[in-house]
Amino acid sequence: MGEDQAIQAQETKSFSLDDFVYERTLSNNANRKVIFTLGKCHEMPAIVILEKISFTDEQFNGTDDTSSILKNASLEKIMENDIYQNNFCKVDSELNKLKATIIYPATDKHISKYSEQNIYVFNETPELYKSVTLPCLEKEQFNCDWVYNVLEHRHEADRIIIEDLDPEIGFMLLPDLKWDGVTAETMYVTAIIMNRNIKSIRDLRECHLPLLENIKSKCLTAIKEKYGVNSNQVRAYFHYQPSYYHLHVHFNYLKYDAPGIFCEKAHLLNTVIDNIKMVPNYYEKATLSFTARENDKLCAAYKSIAE
Amino acid sequence: MGEDQAIQAQETKSFSLDDFVYERTLSNNANRKVIFTLGKCHEMPAIVILEKISFTDEQFNGTDDTSSILKNASLEKIMENDIYQNNFCKVDSELNKLKATIIYPATDKHISKYSEQNIYVFNETPELYKSVTLPCLEKEQFNCDWVYNVLEHRHEADRIIIEDLDPEIGFMLLPDLKWDGVTAETMYVTAIIMNRNIKSIRDLRECHLPLLENIKSKCLTAIKEKYGVNSNQVRAYFHYQPSYYHLHVHFNYLKYDAPGIFCEKAHLLNTVIDNIKMVPNYYEKATLSFTARENDKLCAAYKSIAE
């Protein structure tokens, strides 16, 4: 067989479910109901992504029996208490399809992209911050040059929403990189402070209250003016641990489930201000919880302590 | 027909899918694949919540044909480009059930709870708690009878994971109603305290530290033993405002994006304990942010103050 024929033979072997042999699950998003599995098909790696499909109103208001998801459905009771009951519900497979995305043949990069890392929550006492976190982040932290480029108008100057150049209480407000800059429903902007000596909320003290109040008041006003979103519909918060150690505040539309707004990661600006007012050195004394992924250096450092 | 007979007749009419007539969709979460529909059954309002169920590894590594979701599945191509293809996938209905939660008969409050609405964030000072929140919740709060049914073993006694009957530091740990009770990836259990005089974290003081420490230590141990989830992979938190005013703690798998884990709603158990250790009356003095939906009485009350 010549080389051309060999290539052609290889090319004609297309993916088929019958020839797919499951090997392992790369990751499983239980919230979005999507699973990423790896297997082989004709001896070559294949990724099969299965996702449950969202419901539509049409599945309920159909007039004939065949169009309604609840017709011919059957319930199997799990539990019942008072007016509440939980069931499994078996429905016609034609009305309950999945979405299947196939990547075939898949490369190592695809496999890595869809593989899941474990995530852990740790409690950082003030002592652990000094002995473990601080040395680790000083060694490992991402370069902050891009932040300084922004603050010095060398990059993104045309994107600035508002700025206050005061070296102590000043900041710059910009659309977040993750935002398209247009869709109000997913509004996401970030205030980066001028002061280069505050790494995270851990460093915040009573003397920083004017900075925090300044950011809060001016940014909420600017967001209202520019995007028409009222201050009582804005989520304003810090991340701990942050992705870069130069203090910044996230602002997004309250209804939008932005990434990283979970209680183990996000600290409301209002709560931070209130904590410092109650206890001036709150963030020097507090035990702060944070999460880390398996491959993070900080994770390895904290896991070695626990063991 | 006498009054007794009328009541009995009413009570015996239980929910059935065949008698359910769909009226409208209250809300539809396309991300989580869950739909909240309202209809009538025997002339009384019923809420039917349908949710697609997460995948499990077991659905793929089953050895016999009947246990594997991909056996006997068929693909219907949507698009194909190079090594990527998108399909609809029809699978056996036995292997692709839904979860159906029924609330019957449903009250106006249930209907409002599941209807799509605008959401606002408010800052509750200690003064506002006393003058606005407390009077409002005393008038409007959901009935807690179902909680007492559980605590007195009249309902769900077979579902108890562990219990500690001490009236001061005791609690009962149960699978959350939102959980199917099986899928480890979406593990969600709730500890309900025995003491009936603590409405929410707002009421927590130094004297409650033994209760909180007891819940933390025993529940994390039980979760590890029963579900194999380590304490550093568990998210333990309170809601503020809670959906019912009898103190309870939520526990779920850290990787699972459970509803209501956002920073404007969820307070980590560890943070609550640490705050009280730092300031014994922290929750008496703190300004607590919370969110409320347009139709909530609390929302109307707080919006009228702001104006």
Side-chain angles (χ1 to χ4, degrees):
Chain A
M1 192 159 76
E3 204 172 299
D4 280 1
Q5 279 171 298
I7 288 169
Q8 204 181 356
Q10 198 181 350
E11 278 176 352
T12 50
K13 277 193 185 172
S14 59
F15 179 88
S16 105
L17 218 45
D18 290 336
D19 296 316
F20 176 74
V21 182
Y22 168 86
E23 285 181 359
R24 63 190 166 92
T25 297
L26 297 175
S27 56
N28 187 358
N29 187 321
N31 191 45
R32 287 178 48 219
K33 282 90 177 182
V34 50
I35 192 164
F36 303 81
T37 72
L38 177 68
K40 280 225 163 64
C41 186
H42 311 304
E43 298 304 309
M44 288 196 291
I47 291 174
V48 173
I49 305 168
L50 290 184
E51 180 169 2
K52 306 262 172 136
I53 296 176
S54 312
F55 294 98
T56 64
D57 288 358
E58 292 68 40
Q59 290 185 301
F60 293 88
N61 56 22
T63 45
D64 68 306
D65 282 8
T66 52
S67 66
S68 172
I69 196 165
L70 290 179
K71 293 294 167 194
N72 307 318
S74 62
L75 296 182
E76 176 192 332
K77 199 162 288 177
I78 304 171
M79 61 75 67
E80 184 168 13
N81 176 350
D82 195 37
I83 60 168
Y84 304 97
Q85 54 169 279
N86 249 341
N87 307 271
F88 285 116
C89 178
K90 203 168 88 175
V91 297
D92 190 291
S93 57
E94 183 62 43
L95 300 170
N96 188 28
K97 292 173 182 171
L98 311 177
K99 182 157 83 77
T101 301
I102 318 281
I103 302 172
Y104 177 75
T107 67
D108 285 349
K109 272 189 196 141
H110 290 110
I111 296 170
S112 164
K113 176 177 175 183
Y114 295 116
S115 291
E116 185 154 50
Q117 289 180 44
N118 275 322
I119 187 163
Y120 301 92
V121 62
F122 299 107
N123 298 314
E124 183 193 79
T125 62
E127 296 70 38
L128 285 173
Y129 174 70
K130 280 180 209 129
S131 64
V132 181
T133 308
L134 198 53
C136 194
L137 72 92
E138 279 169 350
K139 209 162 59 183
E140 288 296 323
Q141 79 156 297
F142 283 72
N143 193 305
C144 278
D145 283 350
W146 71 269
V147 175
Y148 306 144
N149 281 338
V150 170
L151 294 181
E152 290 162 13
H153 290 183
R154 284 197 299 269
H155 274 300
E156 302 187 61
D158 54 325
R159 287 166 30 93
I160 296 168
I161 302 165
I162 46 161
E163 61 181 350
D164 176 337
L165 299 175
D166 185 282
E168 290 305 319
I169 65 162
F171 65 89
M172 204 171 262
L173 185 68
L174 298 141
D176 193 275
L177 267 182
K178 288 184 282 297
W179 187 37
D180 63 14
V182 179
T183 316
E185 288 75 16
T186 57
M187 193 270 294
Y188 194 155
V189 299
T190 306
I192 302 175
I193 68 165
M194 289 293 162
N195 185 332
R196 298 185 186 192
N197 300 313
I198 308 175
K199 286 185 285 304
S200 71
I201 55 170
R202 204 30 125 176
D203 290 337
L204 289 174
R205 301 291 180 269
E206 197 174 18
C207 62
H208 301 126
L209 282 176
L211 164 70
L212 301 178
E213 300 277 16
N214 188 46
I215 290 175
K216 177 180 162 184
S217 126
K218 288 191 183 150
C219 292
L220 290 177
T221 304
I223 288 166
K224 165 77 179 151
E225 280 169 9
K226 176 125 184 172
Y227 305 109
V229 181
N230 280 319
S231 61
N232 64 3
Q233 295 194 282
V234 173
R235 179 191 295 114
Y237 58 99
F238 300 91
H239 278 155
Y240 197 76
Q241 306 284 341
S243 59
Y244 54 97
Y245 287 84
H246 175 112
L247 193 74
H248 54 285
V249 187
H250 306 264
F251 295 86
N252 44 52
Y253 186 48
L254 193 57
K255 253 186 177 176
Y256 171 51
D257 292 355
I261 58 171
F262 310 135
C263 58
E264 64 270 21
K265 170 105 179 167
H267 298 250
L268 288 182
L269 175 58
N270 270 331
T271 303
V272 169
I273 291 175
D274 191 56
N275 282 340
I276 296 173
K277 282 183 179 168
M278 201 188 300
V279 182
N281 62 342
Y282 181 97
Y283 289 96
E284 190 179 358
K285 287 165 71 179
T287 294
L288 299 175
S289 294
F290 71 93
T291 59
R293 283 155 47 108
E294 210 161 14
N295 292 352
D296 297 345
K297 282 282 191 311
L298 209 48
C299 186
Y302 271 83
K303 283 190 89 174
S304 69
I305 297 165
E307 276 152 16
Chain B
M1 191 158 76
E3 203 173 300
D4 281 1
Q5 281 171 297
I7 289 168
Q8 206 182 353
Q10 198 182 352
E11 279 175 352
T12 49
K13 277 194 184 171
S14 57
F15 179 88
S16 106
L17 218 44
D18 290 336
D19 296 317
F20 177 75
V21 182
Y22 167 87
E23 286 181 358
R24 62 189 166 93
T25 297
L26 298 174
S27 55
N28 187 359
N29 188 321
N31 191 42
R32 288 177 47 218
K33 281 91 177 181
V34 51
I35 193 165
F36 302 82
T37 72
L38 177 68
K40 280 224 162 65
C41 186
H42 311 303
E43 298 305 308
M44 288 197 290
I47 290 173
V48 174
I49 304 166
L50 289 185
E51 180 170 2
K52 305 266 172 135
I53 296 177
S54 313
F55 293 98
T56 64
D57 289 357
E58 290 69 39
Q59 290 185 301
F60 294 88
N61 56 21
T63 45
D64 68 304
D65 281 6
T66 52
S67 65
S68 172
I69 195 165
L70 290 179
K71 294 294 168 195
N72 307 318
S74 62
L75 295 181
E76 177 192 331
K77 199 162 287 177
I78 305 170
M79 61 75 73
E80 183 166 15
N81 179 353
D82 193 37
I83 61 169
Y84 305 97
Q85 53 170 280
N86 249 340
N87 308 270
F88 285 118
C89 178
K90 203 169 88 176
V91 297
D92 191 292
S93 57
E94 182 62 42
L95 301 171
N96 187 29
K97 292 174 181 170
L98 310 178
K99 183 157 84 78
T101 301
I102 317 281
I103 302 173
Y104 178 74
T107 66
D108 286 348
K109 273 186 203 148
H110 291 107
I111 296 170
S112 162
K113 177 176 176 184
Y114 295 116
S115 295
E116 173 118 57
Q117 294 166 42
N118 275 323
I119 188 163
Y120 302 93
V121 63
F122 299 107
N123 298 313
E124 183 194 79
T125 61
E127 295 70 35
L128 285 172
Y129 174 71
K130 280 181 209 127
S131 64
V132 182
T133 308
L134 197 55
C136 193
L137 73 90
E138 279 168 352
K139 211 161 59 183
E140 289 297 322
Q141 78 157 299
F142 280 69
N143 192 305
C144 279
D145 283 352
W146 71 269
V147 175
Y148 305 143
N149 280 339
V150 170
L151 294 180
E152 289 163 13
H153 290 184
R154 284 197 299 268
H155 273 299
E156 305 187 58
D158 54 325
R159 290 171 23 97
I160 296 168
I161 301 164
I162 46 162
E163 61 181 349
D164 175 337
L165 299 175
D166 186 282
E168 292 305 320
I169 64 162
F171 65 90
M172 202 171 263
L173 184 68
L174 297 139
D176 191 274
L177 199 62
K178 286 183 284 297
W179 187 37
D180 65 13
V182 179
T183 316
E185 287 77 12
T186 58
M187 193 270 293
Y188 193 156
V189 299
T190 306
I192 302 175
I193 68 165
M194 288 293 162
N195 185 331
R196 297 185 186 192
N197 300 312
I198 308 176
K199 286 186 285 304
S200 70
I201 55 170
R202 205 28 126 176
D203 289 338
L204 288 174
R205 300 291 180 270
E206 196 174 19
C207 61
H208 301 125
L209 281 176
L211 164 70
L212 302 178
E213 300 277 15
N214 188 45
I215 291 175
K216 177 181 161 182
S217 126
K218 287 190 182 149
C219 292
L220 290 177
T221 303
I223 288 166
K224 163 81 179 151
E225 280 169 8
K226 176 126 183 171
Y227 305 109
V229 182
N230 280 319
S231 60
N232 63 3
Q233 296 194 281
V234 173
R235 178 191 297 113
Y237 58 99
F238 300 92
H239 279 156
Y240 197 77
Q241 308 282 341
S243 59
Y244 54 97
Y245 288 85
H246 176 112
L247 193 74
H248 53 285
V249 187
H250 306 264
F251 295 87
N252 44 51
Y253 186 47
L254 191 58
K255 260 185 182 174
Y256 172 49
D257 292 352
I261 59 171
F262 309 135
C263 57
E264 64 270 21
K265 171 104 179 167
H267 298 250
L268 288 181
L269 174 58
N270 271 331
T271 303
V272 170
I273 291 175
D274 191 55
N275 282 341
I276 296 173
K277 281 183 179 168
M278 201 188 301
V279 182
N281 63 342
Y282 181 98
Y283 289 96
E284 192 179 357
K285 288 165 71 179
T287 293
L288 299 176
S289 294
F290 71 94
T291 58
R293 289 153 24 115
E294 210 161 13
N295 292 353
D296 296 346
K297 282 283 191 307
L298 210 47
C299 186
Y302 272 81
K303 282 189 90 174
S304 68
I305 296 165
E307 278 153 16

